[in-house]
Amino acid sequence: MKKVITSGIIVGFALFVICYGGLFVAIRLFPHFFEEYISTMFNSDGSRDFFFYTHVFVISFALSMFWKRFKIFFKGHSVIRGLEFGGTYAVVSLLPIFWLSYSTLDITFKMVASWFIYGLIQATVAGVILSKTNP
C-alpha cells in the first residue's frame, strides 16, 4: 500500500503541473472554445474550486490503485505501458460516462471530446509514471 500512496502522490503532483499548465495554455490559444463554459450549468462562483483543483490527486490515487491491480497485463517499455494503461482506462471508464453525459446533458460533442482527450492524457501520463515508480 505504501507504493500505491507514494506513486499516487508523485502522479498527483505531475498531473497538477501538466494539467493546469496545459489548461492555462489552452485558454490562451483557444479562448472561444472555453466560452462554452460560461453557462449556468457550470458553477463559477468559486465555492467549489477546491474540488476542481484537487481532482488530479483523487484521480492519481484511483489510477495508482488500478495500476497496482492490473500492471501485470501491460508489457513493454514504460511509454508503451503508459499508452496501453491510458487507453484501457479511457475505454473502460471515460467512454461510458461521457457517452451518458453527452446523451443527457446540454453539452456539445466538442466539449465531451475535449474531456475524453484530457482524461486520456491524464491516464497515459499516470501510466508512464506508475510504470517507472511501481513496476
Side-chain angles (χ1 to χ4, degrees), residues 70-81:
F70 296 103
K71 66 183 174 184
I72 60 170
F73 296 107
F74 305 109
K75 306 287 184 208
H77 189 270
S78 61
V79 173
I80 300 299
R81 293 175 81 189

Side-chain angles (χ1 to χ4, degrees), residues 11-118:
V11 169
F13 279 108
L15 289 181
F16 187 86
V17 170
I18 291 167
C19 292
Y20 297 118
L23 183 61
F24 181 78
V25 170
I27 289 171
R28 300 294 183 263
L29 293 177
F30 309 106
H32 297 297
F33 176 74
F34 289 94
E35 288 174 0
E36 292 182 29
Y37 289 95
I38 301 171
S39 164
T40 57
M41 190 172 94
F42 295 101
N43 178 350
S44 61
D45 67 3
S47 65
R48 292 186 253 173
D49 285 356
F50 171 79
F51 296 106
F52 177 77
Y53 289 110
T54 57
H55 87 275
V56 291
F57 291 99
V58 172
I59 197 167
S60 70
F61 286 112
L63 290 173
S64 186
M65 291 173 65
F66 184 62
W67 176 261
K68 181 181 180 351
R69 177 71 174 96
F70 296 103
K71 66 183 174 184
I72 60 170
F73 296 107
F74 305 109
K75 306 287 184 208
H77 189 270
S78 61
V79 173
I80 300 299
R81 293 175 81 189
L83 286 168
E84 288 180 0
F85 180 75
T88 301
Y89 170 75
V91 169
V92 169
S93 180
L94 298 177
L95 186 61
I97 195 62
F98 290 155
W99 188 287
L100 181 63
S101 297
Y102 180 67
S103 69
T104 59
L105 300 173
D106 186 23
I107 51 180
T108 65
F109 179 78
K110 188 169 61 169
M111 188 180 289
V112 174
S114 72
W115 295 348
F116 183 84
I117 293 166
Y118 179 73

